[in-house]
């Protein structure tokens, strides 16, 4: 037994230590990343299915780490959330995205909305209302051109507190979307009370929508229900023309996905807008 324990210590513990050590060192690096300008934003177009035009852009953060190269947000956002660093990171994203949308409006003489992902932690431990107001006043962007993407999971916490904040944001005039809809803590009974404008159907439902009868039923139902509540619907992760045509048939309002475009660095997004490409 002693021998076994020794082996475990030799083989398993170091592996765990390595993982912890990596998370710890990423956290240290994150502290430095903001001031050293290691973050950039990519923008993925959302296409309006009523007229085929690019109506808005989701900002997606990228971390260009000095030695590790590109680190995926799936890897560092959870570390940023648990360490509290998500607050200054999101403030940076909000400011950057709002300035960018202001620039598009001036340069292309048409309003392009910009969407920013907001973590649940920002509702618990941050002051999301004041951070949003600050980004709007710094950039001069009209509130209705800023969209905040939040997940259903924020409703798991103090629902009344979250609702109050969402109502304040809504009164400010910014748009609110429920991201990854259908994957989180399901709160259908709360949906009718939320001051949200859009529902984003998660990509896992859009995937194989043609061959997977269950996904098709769920997507159709979410669209019908959302429209009843007065929400518009975005389908995420649209990759093929078959998926697009199906979504068109069932009354989806907006699509986002590789079929039209991957997330783009800002110079490429500018080219896309300049070309006036539509669906
Ligand atoms: P999300 O908000 O659900 O963003 C959509 C993700 O799907 C993005 O991954 C996007 O690149 C990817 N995607 C878009 N179209 C397609 C498609 O057609 N097929 C496939 N397979 N994927 C597609 P990304 O950029 O790696 O971001 C992953 C997640 O990281 C985001 O999921 C979001 O939860 C988080 N994230 C990204 N940027 C930020 C940020 O600035 N703040 C916060 N809090 N979270 C962020
Ligand atoms: Ca999102
Ligand atoms: Ca999503
Ligand atoms: Ca997601």
């Amino acid at each position: 037994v002693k021998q076994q324990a020794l082996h475990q210590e030799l083989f398993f513990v170091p592996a765990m230590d390595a993982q912890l050590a990596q998370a710890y060192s990423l956290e240290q690096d994150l502290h430095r990343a903001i001031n050293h300008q290691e973050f950039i934003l990519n923008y993925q177009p959302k296409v309006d299915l009523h007229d085929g035009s690019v109506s808005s852009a989701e900002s997606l953060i990228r971390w260009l780490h000095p030695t590790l190269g590109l680190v995926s947000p799936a890897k560092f956002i959870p570390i940023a959330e648990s360490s509290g660093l998500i607050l200054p990171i999101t403030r940076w994203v909000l400011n950057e995205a709002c300035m960018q949308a202001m620039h598009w409006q001036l340069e292309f003489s048409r309003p392009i909305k910009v969407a920013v992902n907001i973590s649940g932690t920002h509702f618990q431990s941050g002051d999301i209302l004041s951070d949003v107001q600050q980004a709007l006043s710094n950039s001069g962007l009209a509130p209705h051109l800023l969209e905040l993407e939040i997940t259903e999971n924020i409703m798991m916490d103090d629902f009344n507190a979250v609702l109050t904040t969402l109502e304040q944001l809504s009164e400010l005039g910014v748009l609110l979307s429920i991201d990854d809809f259908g994957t989180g803590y399901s709160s259908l009974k709360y949906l009718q009370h939320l001051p949200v404008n859009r529902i984003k159907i998660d990509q896992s439902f859009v995937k194989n929508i043609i061959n997977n009868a269950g996904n098709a039923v769920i997507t159709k139902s979410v669209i019908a229900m959302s429209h009843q509540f007065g929400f518009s619907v975005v389908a995420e992760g649209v990759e093929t023309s078959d998926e697009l045509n199906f979504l068109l048939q069932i009354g989806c309002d907006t699509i986002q996905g590789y079929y039209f475009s991957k997330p783009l660095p800002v110079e490429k997004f500018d080219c896309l807008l300049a070309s006036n490409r539509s669906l």
Side-chain angles (χ1 to χ4, degrees):
V1 175
K2 212 174 171 188
Q3 191 81 18
Q4 227 173 17
L6 191 70
H7 270 102
Q8 270 181 7
E9 211 168 290
L10 281 173
F11 293 107
F12 296 105
V13 177
M16 214 175 78
D17 274 356
Q19 229 176 44
L20 280 175
Q22 199 198 27
Y24 178 74
S25 123
L26 275 185
E27 186 182 323
Q28 298 306 105
D29 294 351
L30 269 178
H31 277 281
R32 193 204 51 213
I34 299 186
N35 298 330
H36 288 221
Q37 294 165 1
E38 293 170 15
F39 294 122
I40 58 156
L41 292 181
N42 278 359
Y43 295 92
Q44 187 176 36
K46 299 186 195 180
V47 182
D48 187 331
L49 291 182
H50 303 102
D51 63 5
S53 70
V54 173
S55 56
S56 93
E58 178 175 1
S59 61
L60 292 158
I61 197 166
R62 300 289 177 259
W63 182 12
L64 198 56
H65 188 282
T67 54
L68 300 172
L70 214 55
V71 184
S72 150
K75 190 154 193 180
F76 74 85
I77 291 291
I79 298 172
E81 286 173 346
S82 61
S83 62
L85 286 169
I86 193 68
L87 300 179
I89 292 174
T90 304
R91 279 194 283 271
W92 177 82
V93 176
L94 277 166
N95 276 290
E96 191 77 7
C98 287
M99 285 191 293
Q100 194 56 58
M102 192 65 199
H103 164 84
W104 288 326
Q105 193 181 2
L106 297 174
E107 173 127 358
F108 300 102
S109 321
R110 70 186 179 102
I112 304 291
K113 297 187 193 89
V114 76
V116 173
N117 290 289
I118 307 290
S119 292
T121 24
H122 217 122
F123 283 81
Q124 298 150 12
S125 56
D127 189 348
I128 184 64
L129 188 67
S130 119
D131 289 343
V132 165
Q133 282 172 318
Q134 198 70 61
L136 289 172
S137 73
N138 288 347
S139 61
L141 187 71
H144 72 275
L145 293 179
L146 174 62
E147 182 177 346
L148 305 179
E149 299 193 2
I150 55 180
T151 65
E152 302 160 86
N153 295 333
I154 66 161
M155 260 71 77
M156 266 167 46
D157 306 305
D158 186 350
F159 179 74
N160 288 317
V162 170
L163 185 60
T164 301
T165 308
L166 291 178
E167 274 162 354
Q168 289 168 328
L169 287 166
S170 175
E171 271 162 36
L172 195 64
V174 301
L175 303 174
L176 299 171
S177 294
I178 306 284
D179 204 355
D180 304 343
F181 186 77
T183 61
Y185 169 77
S186 211
S187 49
L188 287 182
K189 83 170 177 177
Y190 297 133
L191 202 56
Q192 57 182 318
H193 302 299
L194 296 178
V196 300
N197 308 86
R198 300 223 256 194
I199 299 291
K200 296 189 79 178
I201 301 181
D202 190 66
Q203 24 188 299
S204 59
F205 299 112
V206 175
K207 198 162 257 157
N208 289 321
I209 201 169
I210 310 298
N211 308 310
N212 183 320
N215 281 353
V217 168
I218 291 170
T219 304
K220 274 189 208 172
S221 311
V222 169
I223 291 175
M225 181 187 68
S226 299
H227 285 166
Q228 286 290 320
F229 282 133
F231 309 144
S232 112
V233 180
V234 184
E236 294 192 284
V238 178
E239 295 185 353
T240 68
S241 59
D242 284 350
E243 288 165 358
L244 167 64
N245 289 326
F246 187 87
L247 289 161
L248 269 169
Q249 268 173 36
I250 62 174
C252 185
D253 303 289
T254 305
I255 58 149
Q256 184 180 351
Y258 295 171
Y259 175 73
F260 186 78
S261 169
K262 292 197 167 181
L264 302 170
V266 68
E267 312 78 49
K268 290 205 171 146
F269 195 88
D270 282 0
C271 292
L272 176 72
L273 290 180
S275 76
N276 238 327
R277 182 158 82 87
S278 60
L279 199 64

